[in-house]
Amino acid sequence: MGKYGILVKMSNMFYKAIVPTIDVVNPVSSGDSSLAGVLSGIEDDEIDIDIIKKSMNCGLLNAFNPEISKIDMDLFDKYYEKIKVEEI
């Protein structure tokens, strides 16, 4: 859903995630970056909400960068806290 966030089903739960509005530089590969965030969260044995937040954050941070599939980890915590996930 791009700038409108994402709807997610994990196990028997449904979630909606909202990301902050940013000035997009290059959205190419944001989906791939989001998938990398999911896989990282699963590998780190995180809870559903944290996996979703990590995923959305990786996709968002990718869109800041003119290079494909590259994120600035110095911005990770700043934007992670701004992502809202709620059970629906």
Side-chain angles (χ1 to χ4, degrees):
M1 294 174 24
K3 67 181 180 180
Y4 301 108
I6 191 169
L7 298 175
V8 179
K9 179 181 186 283
M10 296 182 80
S11 302
N12 295 334
M13 306 298 293
F14 290 88
Y15 301 93
K16 180 177 182 182
I18 302 295
V19 296
T21 302
I22 63 165
D23 292 325
V24 173
V25 175
N26 183 6
V28 174
S29 197
S30 287
D32 295 336
S33 297
S34 293
L35 178 58
V38 168
L39 297 174
S40 173
I42 291 169
E43 176 69 21
D44 292 343
D45 204 26
E46 296 178 3
I47 63 170
D48 290 354
I49 289 175
D50 291 340
I51 292 171
I52 295 166
K53 287 181 75 169
K54 182 181 273 187
S55 172
M56 293 295 88
N57 201 24
C58 288
L60 177 122
L61 292 176
N62 175 78
F64 271 128
N65 202 310
E67 294 181 57
I68 295 172
S69 296
K70 185 170 182 179
I71 64 174
D72 183 349
M73 289 304 292
D74 292 335
L75 297 174
F76 191 89
D77 291 338
K78 175 182 178 182
Y79 285 93
Y80 183 90
E81 297 304 322
K82 294 181 179 184
I83 297 169
K84 304 298 179 207
V85 178
E86 62 183 34
E87 187 179 323
I88 55 173

